[in-house]
Structure formats: C-alpha cells, structure tokens
Amino acid sequence: MNDRSSDTAAPSGRDYAGRTLSERRAQRRKALIEAGVVIFGDHGFRGATVKAICRQAGLTERYFYESFANSEALFATVYKTLVGDIEHEMRDAVDQAPAEAESMSEAALRVYFAHMARPRVARIVLIEIFGISTRIDRTYRATTLKFAELTEDLTARLFDPSVVNAQGTTPRLLSMGLVGSTIHIAMYWNLNGYRESLDAVVNAALALYRAMAVSMVDTAGHD
Amino acid sequence: MNDRSSDTAAPSGRDYAGRTLSERRAQRRKALIEAGVVIFGDHGFRGATVKAICRQAGLTERYFYESFANSEALFATVYKTLVGDIEHEMRDAVDQAPAEAESMSEAALRVYFAHMARPRVARIVLIEIFGISTRIDRTYRATTLKFAELTEDLTARLFDPSVVNAQGTTPRLLSMGLVGSTIHIAMYWNLNGYRESLDAVVNAALALYRAMAVSMVDTAGHD
DNA sequence: GCATTCTGACATGAAACATTGTCAAATCCA
DNA sequence: TGGATTTGACAATGTTTCATGTCAGAATGC
C-alpha cells in the first residue's frame, strides 16, 4: 500500500542525463515529497490533486505512480518525513542541552515549536493528519506514542510508579496528556494566526511539564 | 452556507400525516442529524455519501437538500449539536457539584469522558473535525476557545495574572494546553480501543489540572 | 369525491479526478 | 550514426458522487 519499487517502466535501466535509474527515481520521489509539503500544506489533503502535486514537482502524473500508489501513500510519506526530521532534531537538541530535565525539555520544545511555526508543516502535522483513513490514524497514534515515550524518558523520575498509582492513573495517560497539551498549544498557535511569540508558546508548554513535575514531587513528599 | 429555510418545495404548506410542514421538516432534519452521527461516526466524513446518510435516515436525497446545502453543512450541524449537548451537560454537572475547583473540574471531566466513551461521538468530535475545510477549522477553534474559557472560569484564581506574567506566558495558552491535554487523552483512549477505565482517564486529566493549580499556588507563595 | 399537495423511488446531467495509454522529442550507448 | 529507451505533454477512459429532475401514488382539505 505504501511505495512502489518497479512497475510499468524500465526493462533496461540505463543512465539518463548523467544519472542512474535509481538516482533519477530517488530524485523524482524527493521532488514529489517536497511538492506534497507545499500542496498538502496549502490546500489540505482533500484539496490536493495528483495533477497539482505533479505540477508543483515539475513532473507528470506518470512519475507519481512510479513512486506512490496514490495520494494517500504520498501523504503518509510526507507526514513520516516531517515528523522524523522533527524527532531527529529534537533528540539532537536534548543531547546537547544540560543534562537536567527542565533544560532538556525546553530544548526539545523549542525545536518542536520552531517547526510548527511553518504554516505548511503545522497544517499537515497538526490538522490534515486526522480523518484521512484508519491506516493514517494508526500512524498518528504510533507517532504520538513515540513522543509520549520520549517524554517519559526525559522525565522518568517524575513518574514514580508508586506516586502515580496512588493517584489512580497511569504514566502513559499522563505523558499522553502532556504531549497533547503541547500539540494543542501548537494547534491554537497556528489556527489563531501565530499571534504569540515563540518564547510564549514554549514557556506555556514548559509550564505544564514543570507543573506536573512539581506536583509529583509534592505528592511524593507529603506521603 | 449552513442550513436552508425554504427552497424548492411547498408553495402552500398544508398538514400531512397530522403534522404541519415545519414539524415535518424539523423531524426530517433531526433524522438527518442522527443519521449523520451514525454515518460520519462509522465511516468518517470522507467515507460518507449523501445517499448513505439518507438511507440511514429513512429519507431520500431530496429531503437532504431541503435541510442542508451539502454534506459539509450537515457535518457542521452534527458537530455543533454534539458539542453543544456536551457543553450543556458539563455546565449542569458543574452547577451541581460542590462549589470547589477540584470537584467542579472532576464533574465536568467525567461528563466529557462519558461522551467520548461513545466511539461515533469520539470519532466525529476528536478526529473527523479536522481538515474538512477552513470553515470547519474555525468552528473547531471557536469550540476549543469556549472550553478554554470554561476552564478559565472554573479555575480563575489559579491563573493570577501576576503569577502568569512572571512565568512569561499567558493564561489563554495555559488553559488551551489543559484543554488539549484532556482532548488528547480522550483521543488516545479512543484510538487505542478504550483499554482504560473511565475513572483512569478522568483521573489522568484531573491530575494535570491539579498539577497546574498546585504549581501556581506554589509559585505565588514563594514570590 | 376530487383537485391539490406531499412523498418516495429512481433517473439524469454534470463535474471532478484518478489512472492508464499514446506519441513525439530528447537522450543514451554501442 | 542509429536503434533503443526515457521523458514530458496530453488524451482517453472509467468511476464516483453531487445535485436536481421526473413521475406515479398516497394523503390531504374542502
């Protein structure tokens, strides 16, 4: 359902314009992904046509189906590419930050919101991802889980199991809640026209993480 | 763009089957909204056809266009109806709860998650709402804002402006974050097959509200 | 009872798109 | 250079669905 390796074309696979077949294919595929960011980001998934994407990529429809089975497959790839880049950059920022939960969290959040400041990326990652298909919904769930796990890694000590169980809830639900607060602040930021500064949204998201930390420490201390 | 009052039909508007014209129209409209919950909830917005909705409602296509300009208009009405019911019931629960922030918050959250326990409602309100059109996106933003304001009303004292400004953020962003954490816990609950109990998700959401409250009080006290 | 209106089943037209196919020009390699 | 392949532009086909139209029969008020 995702990508295609070979299909209608190329019985021989010789060079063309100084590039091998696989190089040409990879380049076209990359162009389609970048065009997908533009078209999906500007018109949404529903408003995007294969023709418009190919036009943006400077390719014709035939090459679309060389790399992707349909526009949903391209969308899934676009989404995974964007999220993968963000995750990678976030992990780098965490590694380079002082080894302390607050600094690491702030570094990660700053990277996240810097990406969400790009309207096309924000629209794809925050809005368009929903309601396309159950398959894509599963991709979203998996992605969110990964970020929740990242959150749990970062702040593992905040979610002392005994404390958590005493409150009658689970660390997974709490970290999903924190991830959701971050996502939603970004969503509001985008839908409301980016009126707030980057610092403001980073601090708001961070305040919730900090509050959760403080709350946990307090609860543990008073027991 | 939303609903229609009169159109192709009825130059006279006499009774039929013991009901006036407006009564019949209202009944058909209601049937369409209820059918919309089923069809949109089971197949999503993209997977829903006017024909399927009419079939579910026990009506023919003509009566669809009597009440709605297109399926997007029906979806908007379905969404507003569902959210309006939830909001109404939440406010009732808050009014009947002990006049104390934690009890009121818990009462409201319990109502919210009780509704989100219905898969069709959850899918429409949490998933399908996104990416249909910019108009619907605005509806979502307005709805979320209303819930953020409700949160702010409930916990006004938690968001002492001086405290908040000292943290370099705004109460609106914080309340949006809290609303987002609640929404996202519900989304996870739904996408993950409702594995957790109602109490567990209510407590997880409540923990974040409580944490924010504790954090604010602490910060204010230490200044 | 009867002309009129309402209803439901189905037909029809129109538009948008995805996907495949055609073909001439560009490019390669031998 | 010449045969083969790759590319790009565009046509063609088929499907889907919306939105409206048609029409016979049911129900109404007078």
Side-chain angles (χ1 to χ4, degrees):
Chain A
M1 167 82 87
N2 231 348
D3 299 12
R4 283 179 176 174
S5 48
S6 70
D7 235 56
T8 49
S12 86
R14 71 180 184 192
D15 285 11
Y16 200 86
R19 297 175 189 278
T20 69
L21 174 59
S22 58
E23 282 172 347
R24 279 173 278 144
R25 278 196 182 152
Q27 187 171 354
R28 288 193 287 256
R29 186 185 143 91
K30 191 181 169 195
L32 285 167
I33 293 172
E34 287 172 0
V37 173
V38 174
I39 300 296
F40 290 139
D42 285 348
H43 305 300
F45 178 74
R46 270 167 44 81
T49 64
V50 172
K51 185 171 295 214
I53 291 164
C54 293
R55 183 183 182 78
Q56 173 71 30
L59 297 170
T60 59
E61 292 99 309
R62 182 149 57 101
Y63 294 111
F64 184 92
Y65 298 99
E66 176 193 54
S67 286
F68 301 98
N70 49 44
S71 58
E72 181 183 323
L74 172 63
F75 184 86
T77 301
V78 166
Y79 177 80
K80 287 175 185 166
T81 302
L82 290 176
V83 170
D85 289 351
I86 294 169
E87 188 198 350
H88 191 265
E89 208 175 309
M90 281 173 81
R91 289 191 188 275
D92 283 354
V94 167
D95 288 346
Q96 292 179 3
E100 171 240 344
E102 169 126 357
S103 300
M104 292 160 77
S105 300
E106 180 176 351
L109 287 171
R110 193 166 292 277
V111 167
Y112 176 77
F113 282 104
H115 280 273
M116 293 307 120
R118 298 172 58 197
R120 284 168 178 157
V121 175
R123 178 163 179 178
I124 291 170
V125 168
L126 299 173
I127 311 255
E128 295 296 327
I129 182 65
F130 298 107
I132 290 179
S133 71
T134 56
R135 184 182 191 81
I136 303 260
D137 288 348
R138 275 197 293 275
T139 300
Y140 175 77
R141 181 164 61 97
T143 301
T144 309
L145 260 178
K146 198 183 287 179
F147 278 99
E149 285 164 5
L150 178 62
T151 297
E152 288 166 22
D153 288 351
L154 264 181
T155 58
R157 64 191 163 116
L158 308 180
F159 299 105
D160 176 356
S162 67
V163 172
V164 161
N165 289 335
Q167 295 205 350
T169 184
T170 67
R172 175 52 44 84
L173 287 175
L174 287 179
S175 58
M176 288 300 303
L178 284 176
V179 169
S181 69
T182 306
I183 290 174
H184 221 255
I185 287 169
M187 206 182 284
Y188 173 75
W189 198 33
N190 169 268
L191 287 176
N192 214 34
Y194 296 104
R195 302 220 182 107
E196 295 83 1
S197 69
L198 179 64
D199 281 345
V201 290
V202 169
N203 283 332
L206 192 58
L208 283 152
Y209 286 77
R210 190 189 296 123
M212 203 66 218
V214 170
S215 166
M216 286 302 179
V217 170
D218 275 13
T219 311
H222 294 336
D223 269 356
Chain B
M1 167 85 83
N2 228 346
D3 300 10
R4 284 179 176 175
S5 50
S6 72
D7 235 55
T8 49
S12 85
R14 70 180 186 194
D15 285 11
Y16 200 84
R19 298 176 190 277
T20 69
L21 174 60
S22 58
E23 281 171 348
R24 278 172 279 144
R25 278 194 181 154
Q27 188 171 353
R28 289 192 287 255
R29 186 185 144 90
K30 191 181 169 193
L32 285 166
I33 293 174
E34 287 172 358
V37 173
V38 173
I39 300 297
F40 290 139
D42 284 350
H43 305 300
F45 178 74
R46 270 168 45 82
T49 64
V50 171
K51 188 171 293 215
I53 291 164
C54 293
R55 185 183 180 79
Q56 172 73 29
L59 297 170
T60 58
E61 291 98 311
R62 181 149 57 102
Y63 294 112
F64 184 92
Y65 297 100
E66 176 193 57
S67 284
F68 301 98
N70 49 44
S71 59
E72 182 183 321
L74 172 63
F75 184 87
T77 301
V78 166
Y79 177 80
K80 287 176 186 167
T81 302
L82 290 175
V83 170
D85 290 352
I86 295 168
E87 187 198 351
H88 191 265
E89 208 176 308
M90 282 173 81
R91 289 191 187 276
D92 282 356
V94 167
D95 287 347
Q96 292 178 3
E100 172 241 344
E102 169 125 358
S103 301
M104 291 160 79
S105 300
E106 179 176 351
L109 287 171
R110 192 166 293 276
V111 167
Y112 176 77
F113 281 104
H115 280 271
M116 293 308 119
R118 298 172 59 197
R120 284 169 179 157
V121 174
R123 176 162 181 180
I124 291 170
V125 169
L126 300 174
I127 311 256
E128 296 297 327
I129 182 65
F130 298 107
I132 291 180
S133 71
T134 56
R135 185 183 189 81
I136 303 260
D137 287 348
R138 274 197 292 276
T139 299
Y140 175 78
R141 180 165 60 98
T143 300
T144 310
L145 260 179
K146 199 182 285 179
F147 278 98
E149 285 164 5
L150 178 61
T151 297
E152 289 168 20
D153 288 351
L154 264 181
T155 59
R157 65 195 162 110
L158 307 180
F159 298 107
D160 177 355
S162 66
V163 173
V164 159
N165 289 335
Q167 295 207 350
T169 184
T170 67
R172 175 53 44 85
L173 288 175
L174 288 178
S175 58
M176 288 300 302
L178 285 175
V179 168
S181 68
T182 305
I183 290 173
H184 221 256
I185 287 170
M187 208 181 282
Y188 173 76
W189 197 33
N190 169 269
L191 287 176
N192 213 34
Y194 295 104
R195 301 220 183 106
E196 295 82 0
S197 68
L198 179 63
D199 281 344
V201 290
V202 169
N203 283 333
L206 192 58
L208 283 152
Y209 286 76
R210 191 189 296 122
M212 203 66 220
V214 171
S215 166
M216 285 302 177
V217 170
D218 274 13
T219 309
H222 293 335
D223 270 355

